[in-house]
Amino acid sequence: MIGDVDSVALASGRFTPMLNPELLGFTCIACAAEFPIADYFEGCPHCLAYGAPASLRPRIASEPSILADARQLRMQRYAHWLPYQSWVTLGEGGTSCVSLPALAGEGSVKAVYIKNEGQNPSGSHKDRVSCLTVTRALDAGYGQIVAASSGNGGASLALYAAAAGLDCCIVSTPSLSPIFRQAIEMTGAELLTVTDSLERWALIADMAREQHWFPATNYLNPPVGSNHFGLPGLATVAFEIFEELHGRDLDAVLVPTSRGDLIWGLYVGFSQLQRLGHIAQLPRLFAVEPYPRIKRVLEGEPVTGSFPGTTAMASIGGSTVTLQAVHAVRATGGAAIVVDEHSVRRDQARLARHGCYAELSSAASLTGLECLVAEGKLSSSDTAVLIATSNGYKDLATAGASA
Ligand SMILES: [Zn+2]
């Protein structure tokens, strides 16, 4: 199993990142400009010049003809789709996607599946990005990596940086839960706290531009998606959902969303499945958010606007929108759903009573499902997947006291 071989090699100082030989470079998701293989921490240089940052996606010479390598396990099964073919692995991916018939009955839909990303090594979907991002940092010759985080991303990156032997710095705000603080500091990473989200980005910009830190996350305002070597890892969530549904039709995926790395990754993954002929049409992707941001952009406001709000759902907080999130929703005929906190708290307990203990932000996907049914956008003939992005053990008993 390649993943285990890599772990041994890494521990003994012999790990060698291996780029995908089919990788030609990267393409802008907005203007379609093409760039050679390199680091573009601020996204597409052309779009940036116009004040509208846009993410880059990998350009592969010839797309693979098979979905998965059956000899491998977990995320490594899909390595031929990713910028790196071997990476610093802690066993990410391979999370369960299970049907909860009783929940489907309550929700008046045909079937509901929970994709439980809380089963990843650090307990969230962020591990699928962190493994590739730290690998890129190593390959590009960096000894230190930095990221802005409200919790899950920081805990994930700190863990993978530790395994890779990289110095790590996580920049957060005073509202960071002590559970995440402990998880980050336990790895030996440095945790810096600044006043607010936008100040985090200014600090990371300075560290990236002046002090040779590898930035794993956005530091622009308006923002761009996370690192373009790491982001493609999220397409594997779509691959796994497809495989676990065994070809059954899928109508909707509900995704707790902030800046849209995950919903973009799902869009890319399902698009690749469609090109392979595995699915006839893309499932609708629904971004679930705690206050209107993507929703306002879909209604006509500029994506570069500011959309402030407060919420206890820290993992999907923030005041900004990315182009990638809007693209993913529009291209699949989905929508943005705004959910209220009281209902999400109720649904966190409801989910647990059905067998999935997920963090508060993850439960927003169940609340979003109820909204879609109430609005007539999903019916008794539809199958939906709810993405549980993170584990419930990360929530404090007093969660909700801070924004
Ligand atoms: Zn561009």
PDB file of all heavy atoms in Angstrom, residues 1-12 14-15 72-74 76 86-92:
ATOM      1  N   MET A   1       0.857  -1.185   0.000  1.00  0.00           N
ATOM      2  CA  MET A   1       0.000   0.000   0.000  1.00  0.00           C
ATOM      3  C   MET A   1       0.896   1.239   0.000  1.00  0.00           C
ATOM      4  O   MET A   1       1.686   1.451   0.916  1.00  0.00           O
ATOM      5  CB  MET A   1      -0.867  -0.060   1.252  1.00  0.00           C
ATOM      6  CG  MET A   1      -1.933   0.979   1.297  1.00  0.00           C
ATOM      7  SD  MET A   1      -3.115   0.587   2.631  1.00  0.00           S
ATOM      8  CE  MET A   1      -2.024   0.599   4.058  1.00  0.00           C
ATOM      9  N   ILE A   2       0.746   2.043  -1.020  1.00  0.00           N
ATOM     10  CA  ILE A   2       1.656   3.162  -1.189  1.00  0.00           C
ATOM     11  C   ILE A   2       1.613   4.128  -0.013  1.00  0.00           C
ATOM     12  O   ILE A   2       2.623   4.614   0.453  1.00  0.00           O
ATOM     13  CB  ILE A   2       1.328   3.904  -2.507  1.00  0.00           C
ATOM     14  CG1 ILE A   2       1.865   3.066  -3.674  1.00  0.00           C
ATOM     15  CG2 ILE A   2       1.976   5.271  -2.543  1.00  0.00           C
ATOM     16  CD1 ILE A   2       1.637   3.654  -5.025  1.00  0.00           C
ATOM     17  N   GLY A   3       0.414   4.387   0.516  1.00  0.00           N
ATOM     18  CA  GLY A   3       0.296   5.333   1.612  1.00  0.00           C
ATOM     19  C   GLY A   3       1.196   4.962   2.770  1.00  0.00           C
ATOM     20  O   GLY A   3       1.913   5.795   3.318  1.00  0.00           O
ATOM     21  N   ASP A   4       1.204   3.686   3.161  1.00  0.00           N
ATOM     22  CA  ASP A   4       2.022   3.276   4.292  1.00  0.00           C
ATOM     23  C   ASP A   4       3.508   3.339   3.970  1.00  0.00           C
ATOM     24  O   ASP A   4       4.330   3.687   4.805  1.00  0.00           O
ATOM     25  CB  ASP A   4       1.649   1.850   4.711  1.00  0.00           C
ATOM     26  CG  ASP A   4       0.281   1.828   5.394  1.00  0.00           C
ATOM     27  OD1 ASP A   4      -0.207   2.935   5.700  1.00  0.00           O
ATOM     28  OD2 ASP A   4      -0.275   0.750   5.576  1.00  0.00           O
ATOM     29  N   VAL A   5       3.851   3.011   2.737  1.00  0.00           N
ATOM     30  CA  VAL A   5       5.251   3.104   2.330  1.00  0.00           C
ATOM     31  C   VAL A   5       5.715   4.554   2.463  1.00  0.00           C
ATOM     32  O   VAL A   5       6.794   4.849   2.967  1.00  0.00           O
ATOM     33  CB  VAL A   5       5.421   2.627   0.872  1.00  0.00           C
ATOM     34  CG1 VAL A   5       6.822   2.942   0.367  1.00  0.00           C
ATOM     35  CG2 VAL A   5       5.155   1.136   0.781  1.00  0.00           C
ATOM     36  N   ASP A   6       4.864   5.492   2.056  1.00  0.00           N
ATOM     37  CA  ASP A   6       5.224   6.899   2.139  1.00  0.00           C
ATOM     38  C   ASP A   6       5.453   7.334   3.581  1.00  0.00           C
ATOM     39  O   ASP A   6       6.350   8.109   3.879  1.00  0.00           O
ATOM     40  CB  ASP A   6       4.123   7.764   1.519  1.00  0.00           C
ATOM     41  CG  ASP A   6       4.146   7.677   0.004  1.00  0.00           C
ATOM     42  OD1 ASP A   6       5.118   7.122  -0.514  1.00  0.00           O
ATOM     43  OD2 ASP A   6       3.193   8.149  -0.623  1.00  0.00           O
ATOM     44  N   SER A   7       4.592   6.844   4.484  1.00  0.00           N
ATOM     45  CA  SER A   7       4.732   7.231   5.879  1.00  0.00           C
ATOM     46  C   SER A   7       6.083   6.799   6.429  1.00  0.00           C
ATOM     47  O   SER A   7       6.761   7.537   7.133  1.00  0.00           O
ATOM     48  CB  SER A   7       3.611   6.601   6.713  1.00  0.00           C
ATOM     49  OG  SER A   7       2.367   7.057   6.256  1.00  0.00           O
ATOM     50  N   VAL A   8       6.483   5.572   6.073  1.00  0.00           N
ATOM     51  CA  VAL A   8       7.765   5.055   6.536  1.00  0.00           C
ATOM     52  C   VAL A   8       8.910   5.878   5.928  1.00  0.00           C
ATOM     53  O   VAL A   8       9.839   6.293   6.604  1.00  0.00           O
ATOM     54  CB  VAL A   8       7.914   3.564   6.158  1.00  0.00           C
ATOM     55  CG1 VAL A   8       9.320   3.077   6.455  1.00  0.00           C
ATOM     56  CG2 VAL A   8       6.886   2.733   6.892  1.00  0.00           C
ATOM     57  N   ALA A   9       8.787   6.135   4.623  1.00  0.00           N
ATOM     58  CA  ALA A   9       9.834   6.883   3.951  1.00  0.00           C
ATOM     59  C   ALA A   9       9.975   8.282   4.535  1.00  0.00           C
ATOM     60  O   ALA A   9      11.082   8.783   4.744  1.00  0.00           O
ATOM     61  CB  ALA A   9       9.521   6.979   2.453  1.00  0.00           C
ATOM     62  N   LEU A  10       8.838   8.889   4.866  1.00  0.00           N
ATOM     63  CA  LEU A  10       8.866  10.239   5.412  1.00  0.00           C
ATOM     64  C   LEU A  10       9.553  10.252   6.767  1.00  0.00           C
ATOM     65  O   LEU A  10      10.423  11.077   7.044  1.00  0.00           O
ATOM     66  CB  LEU A  10       7.440  10.768   5.540  1.00  0.00           C
ATOM     67  CG  LEU A  10       7.297  12.162   6.110  1.00  0.00           C
ATOM     68  CD1 LEU A  10       7.858  13.170   5.121  1.00  0.00           C
ATOM     69  CD2 LEU A  10       5.837  12.466   6.387  1.00  0.00           C
ATOM     70  N   ALA A  11       9.173   9.287   7.609  1.00  0.00           N
ATOM     71  CA  ALA A  11       9.744   9.234   8.946  1.00  0.00           C
ATOM     72  C   ALA A  11      11.250   9.057   8.898  1.00  0.00           C
ATOM     73  O   ALA A  11      11.981   9.523   9.766  1.00  0.00           O
ATOM     74  CB  ALA A  11       9.089   8.092   9.735  1.00  0.00           C
ATOM     75  N   SER A  12      11.733   8.399   7.879  1.00  0.00           N
ATOM     76  CA  SER A  12      13.173   8.163   7.786  1.00  0.00           C
ATOM     77  C   SER A  12      13.861   9.230   6.945  1.00  0.00           C
ATOM     78  O   SER A  12      15.030   9.116   6.619  1.00  0.00           O
ATOM     79  CB  SER A  12      13.424   6.774   7.186  1.00  0.00           C
ATOM     80  OG  SER A  12      12.893   6.737   5.872  1.00  0.00           O
ATOM     81  N   ARG A  14      13.238  10.061   3.840  1.00  0.00           N
ATOM     82  CA  ARG A  14      13.440   9.687   2.443  1.00  0.00           C
ATOM     83  C   ARG A  14      12.228  10.012   1.578  1.00  0.00           C
ATOM     84  O   ARG A  14      12.134   9.549   0.455  1.00  0.00           O
ATOM     85  CB  ARG A  14      13.749   8.184   2.346  1.00  0.00           C
ATOM     86  CG  ARG A  14      15.086   7.782   2.939  1.00  0.00           C
ATOM     87  CD  ARG A  14      15.378   6.302   2.743  1.00  0.00           C
ATOM     88  NE  ARG A  14      14.596   5.482   3.656  1.00  0.00           N
ATOM     89  CZ  ARG A  14      13.565   4.726   3.288  1.00  0.00           C
ATOM     90  NH1 ARG A  14      13.170   4.714   2.034  1.00  0.00           N
ATOM     91  NH2 ARG A  14      12.918   3.991   4.171  1.00  0.00           N
ATOM     92  N   PHE A  15      11.290  10.773   2.085  1.00  0.00           N
ATOM     93  CA  PHE A  15      10.083  11.042   1.303  1.00  0.00           C
ATOM     94  C   PHE A  15      10.393  11.948   0.118  1.00  0.00           C
ATOM     95  O   PHE A  15      11.022  12.990   0.260  1.00  0.00           O
ATOM     96  CB  PHE A  15       9.005  11.692   2.169  1.00  0.00           C
ATOM     97  CG  PHE A  15       7.775  12.051   1.378  1.00  0.00           C
ATOM     98  CD1 PHE A  15       6.872  11.071   0.987  1.00  0.00           C
ATOM     99  CD2 PHE A  15       7.538  13.361   0.987  1.00  0.00           C
ATOM    100  CE1 PHE A  15       5.754  11.383   0.241  1.00  0.00           C
ATOM    101  CE2 PHE A  15       6.421  13.688   0.246  1.00  0.00           C
ATOM    102  CZ  PHE A  15       5.522  12.700  -0.125  1.00  0.00           C
ATOM    103  N   GLN A  72      -5.172   0.431  -4.649  1.00  0.00           N
ATOM    104  CA  GLN A  72      -4.888   1.376  -3.582  1.00  0.00           C
ATOM    105  C   GLN A  72      -6.064   1.526  -2.631  1.00  0.00           C
ATOM    106  O   GLN A  72      -7.162   1.011  -2.902  1.00  0.00           O
ATOM    107  CB  GLN A  72      -4.552   2.752  -4.192  1.00  0.00           C
ATOM    108  CG  GLN A  72      -3.381   2.737  -5.152  1.00  0.00           C
ATOM    109  CD  GLN A  72      -2.048   2.472  -4.459  1.00  0.00           C
ATOM    110  OE1 GLN A  72      -1.942   2.552  -3.232  1.00  0.00           O
ATOM    111  NE2 GLN A  72      -1.028   2.145  -5.238  1.00  0.00           N
ATOM    112  N   LEU A  73      -5.833   2.243  -1.556  1.00  0.00           N
ATOM    113  CA  LEU A  73      -6.894   2.498  -0.584  1.00  0.00           C
ATOM    114  C   LEU A  73      -7.098   3.992  -0.406  1.00  0.00           C
ATOM    115  O   LEU A  73      -6.232   4.810  -0.706  1.00  0.00           O
ATOM    116  CB  LEU A  73      -6.527   1.881   0.781  1.00  0.00           C
ATOM    117  CG  LEU A  73      -6.475   0.357   0.846  1.00  0.00           C
ATOM    118  CD1 LEU A  73      -5.966  -0.083   2.226  1.00  0.00           C
ATOM    119  CD2 LEU A  73      -7.842  -0.246   0.576  1.00  0.00           C
ATOM    120  N   ARG A  74      -8.303   4.332   0.091  1.00  0.00           N
ATOM    121  CA  ARG A  74      -8.644   5.718   0.466  1.00  0.00           C
ATOM    122  C   ARG A  74      -8.330   6.704  -0.663  1.00  0.00           C
ATOM    123  O   ARG A  74      -8.507   6.394  -1.833  1.00  0.00           O
ATOM    124  CB  ARG A  74      -7.941   6.078   1.781  1.00  0.00           C
ATOM    125  CG  ARG A  74      -8.352   5.135   2.943  1.00  0.00           C
ATOM    126  CD  ARG A  74      -7.710   5.527   4.239  1.00  0.00           C
ATOM    127  NE  ARG A  74      -6.293   5.276   4.250  1.00  0.00           N
ATOM    128  CZ  ARG A  74      -5.707   4.148   4.606  1.00  0.00           C
ATOM    129  NH1 ARG A  74      -6.443   3.130   5.009  1.00  0.00           N
ATOM    130  NH2 ARG A  74      -4.409   4.013   4.591  1.00  0.00           N
ATOM    131  N   GLN A  76      -5.730   7.677  -2.000  1.00  0.00           N
ATOM    132  CA  GLN A  76      -4.680   7.260  -2.932  1.00  0.00           C
ATOM    133  C   GLN A  76      -5.267   6.557  -4.164  1.00  0.00           C
ATOM    134  O   GLN A  76      -4.642   6.493  -5.214  1.00  0.00           O
ATOM    135  CB  GLN A  76      -3.697   6.333  -2.200  1.00  0.00           C
ATOM    136  CG  GLN A  76      -2.411   6.050  -2.950  1.00  0.00           C
ATOM    137  CD  GLN A  76      -1.475   7.249  -2.969  1.00  0.00           C
ATOM    138  OE1 GLN A  76      -1.260   7.878  -1.940  1.00  0.00           O
ATOM    139  NE2 GLN A  76      -0.917   7.575  -4.122  1.00  0.00           N
ATOM    140  N   SER A  86       2.175  10.980  -5.145  1.00  0.00           N
ATOM    141  CA  SER A  86       2.458  10.529  -3.787  1.00  0.00           C
ATOM    142  C   SER A  86       2.547  11.772  -2.927  1.00  0.00           C
ATOM    143  O   SER A  86       2.979  12.827  -3.395  1.00  0.00           O
ATOM    144  CB  SER A  86       3.754   9.720  -3.722  1.00  0.00           C
ATOM    145  OG  SER A  86       4.862  10.557  -3.960  1.00  0.00           O
ATOM    146  N   TRP A  87       2.101  11.653  -1.713  1.00  0.00           N
ATOM    147  CA  TRP A  87       2.049  12.821  -0.834  1.00  0.00           C
ATOM    148  C   TRP A  87       2.233  12.399   0.610  1.00  0.00           C
ATOM    149  O   TRP A  87       2.247  11.210   0.926  1.00  0.00           O
ATOM    150  CB  TRP A  87       0.721  13.568  -1.026  1.00  0.00           C
ATOM    151  CG  TRP A  87      -0.514  12.732  -0.850  1.00  0.00           C
ATOM    152  CD1 TRP A  87      -1.081  12.333   0.332  1.00  0.00           C
ATOM    153  CD2 TRP A  87      -1.331  12.158  -1.899  1.00  0.00           C
ATOM    154  NE1 TRP A  87      -2.187  11.573   0.091  1.00  0.00           N
ATOM    155  CE2 TRP A  87      -2.389  11.459  -1.259  1.00  0.00           C
ATOM    156  CE3 TRP A  87      -1.306  12.194  -3.292  1.00  0.00           C
ATOM    157  CZ2 TRP A  87      -3.382  10.782  -1.976  1.00  0.00           C
ATOM    158  CZ3 TRP A  87      -2.291  11.522  -3.997  1.00  0.00           C
ATOM    159  CH2 TRP A  87      -3.307  10.837  -3.342  1.00  0.00           C
ATOM    160  N   VAL A  88       2.366  13.396   1.457  1.00  0.00           N
ATOM    161  CA  VAL A  88       2.495  13.150   2.895  1.00  0.00           C
ATOM    162  C   VAL A  88       1.130  12.679   3.402  1.00  0.00           C
ATOM    163  O   VAL A  88       0.201  13.468   3.509  1.00  0.00           O
ATOM    164  CB  VAL A  88       2.905  14.437   3.634  1.00  0.00           C
ATOM    165  CG1 VAL A  88       2.976  14.187   5.133  1.00  0.00           C
ATOM    166  CG2 VAL A  88       4.230  14.955   3.099  1.00  0.00           C
ATOM    167  N   THR A  89       1.032  11.401   3.669  1.00  0.00           N
ATOM    168  CA  THR A  89      -0.295  10.859   3.997  1.00  0.00           C
ATOM    169  C   THR A  89      -0.404  10.440   5.453  1.00  0.00           C
ATOM    170  O   THR A  89       0.556   9.929   6.046  1.00  0.00           O
ATOM    171  CB  THR A  89      -0.633   9.655   3.091  1.00  0.00           C
ATOM    172  OG1 THR A  89      -1.947   9.208   3.426  1.00  0.00           O
ATOM    173  CG2 THR A  89       0.362   8.522   3.254  1.00  0.00           C
ATOM    174  N   LEU A  90      -1.578  10.685   5.999  1.00  0.00           N
ATOM    175  CA  LEU A  90      -1.922  10.170   7.327  1.00  0.00           C
ATOM    176  C   LEU A  90      -3.154   9.265   7.224  1.00  0.00           C
ATOM    177  O   LEU A  90      -3.814   8.998   8.220  1.00  0.00           O
ATOM    178  CB  LEU A  90      -2.183  11.334   8.295  1.00  0.00           C
ATOM    179  CG  LEU A  90      -0.972  12.243   8.573  1.00  0.00           C
ATOM    180  CD1 LEU A  90      -1.379  13.443   9.431  1.00  0.00           C
ATOM    181  CD2 LEU A  90       0.150  11.475   9.251  1.00  0.00           C
ATOM    182  N   GLY A  91      -3.454   8.849   5.989  1.00  0.00           N
ATOM    183  CA  GLY A  91      -4.599   7.946   5.799  1.00  0.00           C
ATOM    184  C   GLY A  91      -5.901   8.666   5.528  1.00  0.00           C
ATOM    185  O   GLY A  91      -6.978   8.191   5.877  1.00  0.00           O
ATOM    186  N   GLU A  92      -5.821   9.834   4.890  1.00  0.00           N
ATOM    187  CA  GLU A  92      -7.009  10.642   4.600  1.00  0.00           C
ATOM    188  C   GLU A  92      -7.894   9.993   3.535  1.00  0.00           C
ATOM    189  O   GLU A  92      -7.430   9.219   2.710  1.00  0.00           O
ATOM    190  CB  GLU A  92      -6.591  12.056   4.147  1.00  0.00           C
ATOM    191  CG  GLU A  92      -5.648  12.082   2.970  1.00  0.00           C
ATOM    192  CD  GLU A  92      -4.233  11.602   3.302  1.00  0.00           C
ATOM    193  OE1 GLU A  92      -3.806  11.740   4.461  1.00  0.00           O
ATOM    194  OE2 GLU A  92      -3.554  11.064   2.403  1.00  0.00           O
TER     195      GLU A  92
END
